[in-house]
Amino acid sequence: MDTSFQQITVDPTLAEMGKNLNEAMRILEDGHREREEDKEKRRHSRKDIPGPLQGSGQDVAHILQLVQNLMHGNEDEDLQSHRRMQNVGEQGHMALLGHSLAAYISVLDKERLRKLTTRILSDTTLWLCRLFRYENGSAYYHEDDREGLLKVCRLVIHSRFDDYSTEGFNMLYSKQPVIYQSAACRSGLGQHLCNQLGLPLSSLCTVPCNTMFGSQHQMDVALLDRLIKDNVDSGKLPLLLIANAGTPAAGHTDKLGRLKELCAQYSMWLHVEGVNLATLALPYVKSSVMAATQCDSMTLTLGPWLGLPAVPAVTLYRHEDPSLSLAAGLNSSQPVEKLRALPLWLSLQYLGHDGIVERIRHASQLSQRLLDHLTKQTSITTAVEDDLNSPVVVFRFSQTDANSAQSGGPLETLPSNEREIQDTLNRWLGEQLALLVPASGVDIVNLEDEGSCVRFSPLMTAAVLGTKDEDVDMLAERLQEKIPVLISTLRLREEFREEVHRTAALTYIEDLSWPGLGTVRYEMSREEPDESKRQAELEKINSVLLKKLKELDSDLTFSTGPEFGPEKNCVYIGMATEDLDVAEVVEMIATIGREIEENSRLLENMTEVVRKGILEAELQLQKATEEKLMEEGVLRQLPVVGSVLNWFSPVQSSVKGRTFNLAAGSVDSTEPTYSMKAQSTGETPPPTPTSARTKHRLPGQKLFRRSLASSDCVSETSSVGQVEELEKEELREPAPEGREADVQKEPEPEPEQRGETPGEGEGGEQEGKREPEVEGRETEHPDSLR
């Protein structure tokens, strides 16, 4: 772009500006190509700590390098939070160039600046009004998307109160103005307007949505009519109504036609906002959205719709008195403020009419494509306004449909806390989909009636993230993979709870906000009077238990749970699959916990045991010394005399060894040890006791998995052979005592009974040396197996 820019531009300053902008963007966007050694140096540097301003100044390259380091500083944290980076293309460069040009144009002389800003403002306003079917409209460009509505409210106040510009808020005492908004509006919007306008919160009236007829996300028009009548009867003045063409959460559109008639009846101002206003640029527009063209004002957020960074939002409005618009702040006499439209002016020219329409059409097709995939899912319910054409797709995993699909019969009895469990699992589902398919731009929304849902709004994310049809298909595939996990986890949660209740050493922790099999805590078997010491010991045991569980070869995930969760010293178990053996999981947790507690108790008693053992050893050594003195006599203890007596009459004395038994805490003699060592026959020690549910596993089979007949991990022939080997191993194991009589050897039949003559016995011995028969013939004679 920079080469063509330099060829066409006459002003060398503009050419240099475009060249510098492209060079800066190239440096900043190539941050991921940084060498590994540079990353290591930057990781240990102190660049993130604020320092003094350099006296001699720095060049542009060093400043851009600093900006790059700050942008791509901690890539590990960005990866963990899977933050989405905007896809800045050529149209994004044009928007960024507009900000640079605005700074350059602002230094022109006043006359040139006035002509240029007037042209830019009039062109952009004309293009937007024609593009979104808003005839004879004016435009106000603002950075905050709430600023346009705020200026419109001031315009309406100036229009309805004639002396407001001179008398101020004294005019509001006689008739208090009332602003109406839907309950589905974005949170905090009405409070922001009252705060900025200096109005009390009693001037804000929230209209509930439909409860019986129509969409539950649309404003109840009949109830609004009654509220307006009540306010008029009480001496208040209905001022403005905020409607939605695409609610922030579900993307539903209010009945704008009826709302416009109601506003005309009470001389109210109708303002419309929402993502569905983008579809006004398409050739075919639904009638519910087309009614927005007759409203008094609307707010457009073109930045996310078209993938344009740092472009202002636009509020289109109709009003005949320019002086009131100037008093409300919708018009400005300062040419510099009119330059806000410059980035949008450049970007719209770069995209063109066809490019803008194509981006909006592509986003609408993406939502319809996903909706077609969701209709084939039996465990997914949608909360869309129109199944045939909905720019925003909201869906959730339904436990009722999952139960019916899993059981194949009547619906199972649902627990009382079904809603909260469903919300937890849907939040997990949304997080997983956003992590696995980041280009889809899905997020999680909380709806009043439906609960937690997953939202796909391509009009707000597709142009920014570059979402394609393949991303939508991948999203549907990942969703299909997660549904069996959700169904299995729901089915096994109650079984896990019952197994934990049946285990004495474990306590089940009810945490409905955890998306997994459940939460469990190991409790100590002994009583500890000191509560602080008990909690410390409990924390130690459960932390070691969690560490050992993570080391197991299993597909289950074990964690400490949420960072700011209500429960501590617990083991949180993640999502489960259908072949999970819940009883084995619970028993393994209890077994490992008991081992940890026993080892901990042994370490605690070690100090006392060692101390007592040392005292006992000292007493035995002293006793042995006294016995030696009594046996040998006093003279033998003297240095010179003892040596002479020992030379003439040596004494045969045996040294008695001692051993310290840590388990018993006693000092014993070594004589039994050496005698047992001499008589040892080299027998192998007994095996270490393991869990009672330890079972044979097939090669490649992980812990806590049931052996399925139709397993996909092994082939049919190999699995049959492995099962036969396991059965043979079980047959070779010694039989229990109670069944010894059942496996006595049968008496060998006489030669006559076997069909042999006495002369054939020798030949039989030679035939016994032949190669064994094939396996198929051996199975025909069960007696031979015995």
Side-chain angles (χ1 to χ4, degrees):
M1 185 182 71
D2 54 349
T3 305
S4 60
F5 187 81
Q6 294 179 14
Q7 293 176 355
I8 298 176
T9 305
V10 178
D11 192 346
T13 305
L14 296 179
E16 186 68 21
M17 183 185 306
K19 179 180 178 181
N20 292 339
L21 177 63
N22 282 275
E23 183 66 20
M25 293 300 301
R26 184 186 62 81
I27 295 175
L28 296 178
E29 290 178 351
D30 290 346
H32 61 278
R33 304 176 185 175
E34 191 178 11
R35 296 179 301 174
E36 293 296 332
E37 53 268 21
D38 295 337
K39 291 183 180 180
E40 189 67 23
K41 292 179 181 179
R42 179 164 49 82
R43 187 177 293 110
H44 299 286
S45 64
R46 301 174 62 88
K47 295 286 186 176
D48 295 337
I49 301 177
L53 182 64
Q54 299 294 330
S56 59
Q58 300 183 20
D59 56 7
V60 178
H62 284 83
I63 297 175
L64 290 178
Q65 185 66 34
L66 176 60
V67 175
Q68 174 185 326
N69 295 341
L70 294 176
M71 291 172 57
H72 307 280
N74 199 341
E75 297 179 354
D76 296 336
E77 293 183 358
D78 292 345
L79 183 60
Q80 293 176 1
S81 59
H82 57 271
R83 293 171 57 189
R84 299 190 283 256
M85 186 66 182
Q86 180 166 344
N87 182 22
V88 181
E90 290 290 335
Q91 75 279 0
H93 290 185
M94 293 300 299
L96 300 178
L97 179 61
H99 290 275
S100 301
L101 286 175
Y104 173 70
I105 293 174
S106 62
V107 300
L108 297 177
D109 58 89
K110 294 183 179 180
E111 185 62 24
R112 290 185 178 182
L113 180 61
R114 184 186 62 81
K115 292 181 179 180
L116 182 58
T117 55
T118 303
R119 172 64 184 274
I120 293 173
L121 193 63
S122 59
D123 285 349
T124 310
T125 302
L126 178 62
W127 297 337
L128 292 177
C129 289
R130 290 184 176 179
L131 186 64
F132 293 98
R133 307 169 187 264
Y134 198 79
E135 299 179 356
N136 301 324
S138 303
Y140 173 67
Y141 304 89
H142 44 93
E143 302 297 334
D144 189 355
D145 54 1
R146 300 172 300 180
E147 186 68 19
L149 178 57
L150 177 62
K151 296 298 178 65
V152 166
C153 290
R154 290 178 177 171
L155 173 63
V156 180
I157 291 177
H158 281 279
S159 302
R160 299 299 300 273
F161 298 93
D162 297 334
D163 298 333
Y164 180 77
S165 58
T166 56
E167 297 295 332
F169 292 102
N170 293 327
M171 297 297 300
L172 306 180
Y173 290 153
S174 58
K175 284 190 176 183
Q176 181 182 354
V178 181
I179 299 175
Y180 300 88
Q181 68 170 4
S182 171
C185 282
R186 46 180 169 169
S187 59
L189 178 62
Q191 290 80 356
H192 175 75
L193 294 177
C194 293
N195 185 23
Q196 297 297 319
L197 296 173
L199 298 176
L201 292 180
S202 58
S203 298
L204 179 64
C205 181
T206 301
V207 183
C209 297
N210 295 325
T211 55
M212 297 182 62
F213 304 101
S215 172
Q216 296 180 350
H217 303 279
Q218 291 179 347
M219 186 186 305
D220 192 340
V221 181
L223 182 57
L224 173 63
D225 190 8
R226 291 198 299 268
L227 291 175
I228 295 176
K229 290 180 179 179
D230 293 341
N231 290 329
V232 171
D233 294 340
S234 61
K236 296 182 180 180
L237 178 65
L239 189 69
L240 180 139
L241 172 63
I242 305 173
N244 291 298
T247 55
H252 290 205
T253 302
D254 291 327
K255 299 177 182 179
L256 301 179
R258 294 184 58 187
L259 293 178
K260 179 59 181 176
E261 296 175 359
L262 195 62
C263 290
Q265 178 181 352
Y266 293 98
S267 301
M268 294 174 57
W269 185 284
L270 178 60
H271 178 83
V272 181
E273 60 180 18
V275 66
N276 293 348
L277 292 176
T279 59
L280 290 173
L282 298 178
Y284 171 75
V285 185
K286 293 193 302 182
S287 58
S288 59
V289 181
M290 181 64 74
T293 59
Q294 304 301 322
C295 66
D296 298 301
S297 61
M298 66 170 63
T299 298
L300 310 175
T301 54
L302 298 172
W305 295 352
L306 305 179
L308 303 175
V311 297
V314 185
T315 296
L316 302 179
Y317 65 96
R318 294 190 184 97
H319 200 266
E320 299 177 355
D321 193 348
S323 61
L324 295 181
S325 301
L326 182 63
L330 291 170
N331 288 337
S332 177
S333 59
Q334 299 295 329
V336 178
E337 295 185 6
K338 297 181 180 179
L339 289 176
R340 294 178 183 174
L342 181 58
L344 194 57
W345 182 72
L346 294 175
S347 301
L348 293 178
Q349 291 186 87
Y350 181 83
L351 292 173
H353 183 274
D354 296 338
I356 296 171
V357 173
E358 180 59 31
R359 285 176 178 267
I360 298 176
R361 180 188 291 111
H362 174 67
S364 301
Q365 292 174 353
L366 290 178
S367 61
Q368 188 62 37
R369 189 182 188 92
L370 179 62
L371 195 58
D372 294 339
H373 285 293
L374 295 179
T375 54
K376 304 175 184 177
Q377 302 287 347
T378 57
S379 301
I380 296 297
T381 58
T382 58
V384 296
E385 183 180 12
D386 186 1
D387 294 336
L388 301 178
N389 186 8
S390 179
V392 180
V393 180
V394 178
F395 61 93
R396 64 183 271 110
F397 170 74
S398 174
Q399 186 180 14
T400 303
D401 292 342
N403 288 332
S404 60
Q406 188 266 335
S407 61
L411 299 180
E412 301 177 0
T413 303
L414 300 178
S416 59
N417 50 14
E418 171 198 359
R419 171 69 178 269
E420 192 169 353
I421 296 177
Q422 287 190 27
D423 292 345
T424 300
L425 293 179
N426 279 281
R427 285 192 295 268
W428 176 85
L429 177 62
E431 294 173 357
Q432 291 295 313
L433 294 178
L435 182 63
L436 296 174
V437 193
S440 63
V442 295
D443 58 354
I444 305 170
V445 293
N446 294 318
L447 303 181
E448 182 178 357
D449 297 319
E450 291 83 358
S452 297
C453 301
V454 183
R455 178 179 59 185
F456 178 65
S457 181
L459 281 172
M460 297 296 294
T461 60
V464 174
L465 302 177
T467 309
K468 301 179 181 178
D469 294 343
E470 294 79 8
D471 299 322
V472 177
D473 297 338
M474 184 180 297
L475 179 65
E477 293 176 3
R478 297 296 177 265
L479 176 61
Q480 180 68 26
E481 295 173 0
K482 297 300 178 181
I483 289 177
V485 179
L486 293 169
I487 296 176
S488 303
T489 303
L490 280 174
R491 182 174 57 85
L492 297 175
R493 280 176 70 101
E494 189 64 26
E495 181 181 351
F496 176 78
R497 181 177 183 175
E498 295 175 357
E499 287 289 339
V500 172
H501 285 319
R502 285 195 292 263
T503 306
L506 300 180
T507 300
Y508 182 81
I509 306 300
E510 186 73 27
D511 190 356
L512 301 179
S513 63
W514 173 251
L517 193 62
T519 308
V520 67
R521 178 191 292 129
Y522 181 83
E523 301 290 350
M524 296 186 299
S525 59
R526 58 175 179 171
E527 296 293 336
E528 180 62 44
D530 189 357
E531 183 63 22
S532 60
K533 186 177 181 181
R534 178 182 176 277
Q535 290 296 332
E537 184 67 20
L538 194 65
E539 180 181 0
K540 181 180 178 181
I541 292 176
N542 282 276
S543 62
V544 178
L545 173 62
L546 177 61
K547 182 179 179 181
K548 289 185 176 295
L549 290 174
K550 288 182 177 180
E551 295 174 356
L552 297 177
D553 184 17
S554 170
D555 292 333
L556 275 180
T557 57
F558 302 93
S559 65
T560 56
E563 183 179 359
F564 302 101
E567 299 292 339
K568 301 296 181 184
N569 306 328
C570 300
V571 176
Y572 287 78
I573 306 175
M575 305 295 287
T577 54
E578 60 179 353
D579 57 346
L580 180 67
D581 192 341
V582 177
E584 184 181 357
V585 174
V586 175
E587 188 166 353
M588 179 66 71
I589 295 175
T591 302
I592 297 177
R594 283 191 290 265
E595 294 177 358
I596 297 172
E597 184 181 6
E598 292 174 0
N599 295 336
S600 176
R601 188 180 306 171
L602 179 62
L603 292 176
E604 288 180 358
N605 299 332
M606 186 68 67
T607 303
E608 185 66 20
V609 171
V610 171
R611 187 183 64 82
K612 292 181 179 180
I614 292 175
L615 294 177
E616 184 178 355
E618 291 179 352
L619 293 176
Q620 292 191 12
L621 289 175
Q622 184 179 359
K623 184 178 180 181
T625 304
E626 293 176 356
E627 292 178 355
K628 181 180 180 182
L629 180 62
M630 296 297 296
E631 180 182 355
E632 297 179 358
V634 179
L635 293 178
R636 291 184 182 272
Q637 309 304 322
L638 299 176
V640 179
V641 179
S643 299
V644 175
L645 290 177
N646 290 333
W647 185 74
F648 283 105
S649 176
V651 177
Q652 299 295 332
S653 61
S654 60
V655 179
K656 297 181 179 180
R658 295 290 185 270
T659 179
F660 181 50
N661 190 349
L662 289 176
S666 60
V667 179
D668 303 328
S669 175
T670 57
E671 293 180 1
T673 303
Y674 286 108
S675 62
M676 292 176 62
K677 190 71 175 180
Q679 298 174 3
S680 176
T681 58
E683 297 179 356
T684 57
T688 304
T690 57
S691 175
R693 292 187 59 88
T694 302
K695 58 183 181 180
H696 298 287
R697 287 187 294 160
L698 299 177
Q701 182 182 1
K702 296 191 176 182
L703 282 174
F704 316 132
R705 289 287 176 262
R706 296 190 182 97
S707 298
L708 300 178
S710 59
S711 177
D712 297 334
C713 60
V714 292
S715 63
E716 182 179 358
T717 56
S718 62
S719 61
V720 172
Q722 291 161 356
V723 171
E724 291 180 354
E725 292 178 1
L726 294 178
E727 293 177 353
K728 293 178 180 180
E729 290 181 2
E730 295 177 356
L731 291 175
R732 286 195 293 267
E733 293 179 357
E737 297 180 358
R739 298 188 60 187
E740 289 181 355
D742 298 338
V743 293
Q744 293 181 355
K745 183 177 180 181
E746 297 182 1
E748 184 178 359
E750 297 294 332
E752 292 80 8
Q753 296 177 359
R754 291 181 298 177
E756 299 177 357
T757 59
E760 293 176 353
E762 298 178 357
E765 294 178 359
Q766 294 179 0
E767 291 177 2
K769 299 180 182 180
R770 291 182 302 177
E771 296 181 359
E773 296 179 359
V774 296
E775 183 180 0
R777 298 184 58 186
E778 291 178 354
T779 56
E780 296 176 0
H781 302 281
D783 295 339
S784 62
L785 293 177
R786 299 180 183 175

